[in-house]
Amino acid sequence: MRDLGIETSGGPTRQVSDSIALGPGLVLQGTRMHFRRNEEVFGEGEAATYVYRVVSGAVRTIRFSSDGRRQILNFYFPGDIFGLECGSKHTLSAEAIGEADLSLVRRSLIDTAAKQDASAAQALIVLMQRQLQTAQDHALVLGRKGAGERVAAFLLQLADRVTAQCEIDLPMSRADIADYLALTIETVSRAFTQMERDRTIALPSSRHVVVRDRCALELLEAA
Amino acid sequence: MRDLGIETSGGPTRQVSDSIALGPGLVLQGTRMHFRRNEEVFGEGEAATYVYRVVSGAVRTIRFSSDGRRQILNFYFPGDIFGLECGSKHTLSAEAIGEADLSLVRRSLIDTAAKQDASAAQALIVLMQRQLQTAQDHALVLGRKGAGERVAAFLLQLADRVTAQCEIDLPMSRADIADYLALTIETVSRAFTQMERDRTIALPSSRHVVVRDRCALELLEAA
DNA sequence: CGCTCGATTGAGCCGCGTCAAAGTGCGTGG
DNA sequence: CCACGCACTTTGACGCGGCTCAATCGAGCG
């Protein structure tokens, strides 16, 4: 893991105080850090010292299968919390997709808070439950959907997380989408092209998607 | 959900007191219940009133995709705890695979215990973490492995959970295995047959697997 | 003995991966 | 400002792995 720059003040990355809301009335002080494009936040096997909250940008969590192929397990966007998905050691790695600002809180602080405040512990459990739910949804997509349906599900999922419900700015590349959906970049690209042909979406640029017919997309997902 | 038979004493199913260890020195009283083959333990959308521990037999958790295809998310064996994977409502259903004895504990009791005892809350979080880890492993298998590798991974996973490291009694049908691995029964069957031809396993009967060459199995899984 | 349900085996097909070649956008340097 | 290079995306041709459909087999049970 790169130097977190918390003990060493005055590093090149600006450090702004930030906070993570854990429970009602319980807010933990965090340290803000900047990560560059494709920079690793933490790696598989490392000690899980911090929990992270996305302030700006986006983060992907990765695991590699034994033959070296990459599987993206989840994407995290501003407001999302990640890094608590494991015990003492990380079982996956996390990378900034583009330039990203994260807020860090020591796990030890969180554990202490959870011990003293039942509502904090409850909030932690709810966070874990949401993560588990997401992982199971993902398994369902990977197990039971075809290529077009996977891409449709992905777009709908993003659309629900974004303010402008029908304009999606993709922070990630086709390769990232492919590795998340367990497809190839070619298949993802073809799915986008097909949807554009069907007037379901518009693609003003490869990273900008306009949902023109949400119903058609939902129909596609269900297929 | 079927009548839990807890308020109504003297039902047809025998009720034996049992317990669930939540933390060091913290054990919750549970009620033992018997479930028949393919009987539903709880259903998607129902209120999540209980947490369950497998005493004997095996349980599968299920979700259906929008087109009606079944995905098995996990199998639970004696000692395993399930039913805490969601908030107030179940987002999946659970069924007994064969005859099964389960120990039930009210969630309200667990929540109370977690509020009063920090180590209990910690134990809950560890349980959730393990579930999350399992779900992510599953996603990796579904996303990145071929048919033979999936079946190999499945057998190795079972072998590690069973006392006799190389003799596996499968409580579930080929259909269950197929729906867990997101394959068809035919493909699962062919994978078994292939492994038998390669002398990697022996199949004295369709539900009984003998691992003859664990290394070959591990090699297959990694493929 | 014959029925039924689950498992196995075979033949053929189709969706997605693989390989290869353009096409596009953007930053860099002349 | 334009030329170039690089990374990313798109598009096409083709092959293969796993799904579909169908028949057979085997075990448990009335």
Side-chain angles (χ1 to χ4, degrees), chain A residues 29-55:
Chain A
Q29 196 64 11
T31 305
R32 194 184 291 196
M33 272 191 66
H34 182 79
F35 289 82
R36 288 202 216 76
R37 184 177 133 88
N38 293 327
E39 190 174 1
E40 189 178 72
V41 178
F42 57 80
E44 203 172 330
E46 288 178 3
T49 318
Y50 298 92
V51 169
Y52 307 81
R53 180 170 159 277
V54 182
V55 175

Side-chain angles (χ1 to χ4, degrees), chain A residues 146-147 183-184 186-187 190:
Chain A
L183 298 169
T184 59
E186 293 94 331
T187 301
R190 278 186 255 267

Side-chain angles (χ1 to χ4, degrees), chain A residues 61 63-67 69-73 76 84-88 91-92 107 111 114-116 118 121-122 124-125 128-133 135-140 142-145 149-150 178-183 221-223, chain B residues 61 63-67 69-73 76 84-88 91-92 107 111 114-116 118 121-122 124-125 128-133 135-140 142-145 149-150 178-183 221-223:
Chain A
T61 47
R63 277 186 59 188
F64 288 91
S65 72
S66 29
D67 63 336
R69 295 182 52 158
R70 187 176 78 143
Q71 175 70 50
I72 292 182
L73 293 166
Y76 296 92
L84 38 70
E85 42 269 331
C86 40
S88 58
T91 55
L92 42 74
R107 286 179 73 93
D111 288 344
K115 279 203 184 77
Q116 289 165 357
Q122 185 59 29
L124 264 186
I125 288 174
M128 299 283 304
Q129 283 171 340
R130 214 168 294 162
Q131 294 266 348
L132 186 55
Q133 183 65 37
Q136 287 179 345
D137 288 345
H138 195 205
L140 204 65
L142 297 188
R144 291 288 162 224
K145 287 183 191 295
E149 311 163 42
R150 292 188 204 190
D179 284 350
Y180 176 67
L181 298 175
L183 298 169
E221 182 200 10
Chain B
T61 48
R63 277 187 59 187
F64 289 91
S65 73
S66 29
D67 63 335
R69 295 183 52 158
R70 186 177 78 145
Q71 175 70 49
I72 292 182
L73 293 166
Y76 296 93
L84 38 71
E85 43 269 331
C86 40
S88 58
T91 55
L92 42 73
R107 285 179 73 92
D111 288 342
K115 279 205 184 77
Q116 289 166 357
Q122 185 60 28
L124 265 186
I125 289 173
M128 299 281 306
Q129 283 171 340
R130 213 167 296 161
Q131 295 267 346
L132 186 55
Q133 182 66 36
Q136 287 178 345
D137 288 345
H138 194 205
L140 203 66
L142 297 188
R144 292 289 162 223
K145 286 182 190 296
E149 310 161 43
R150 292 188 203 190
D179 284 349
Y180 176 67
L181 298 175
L183 298 169
E221 183 200 10

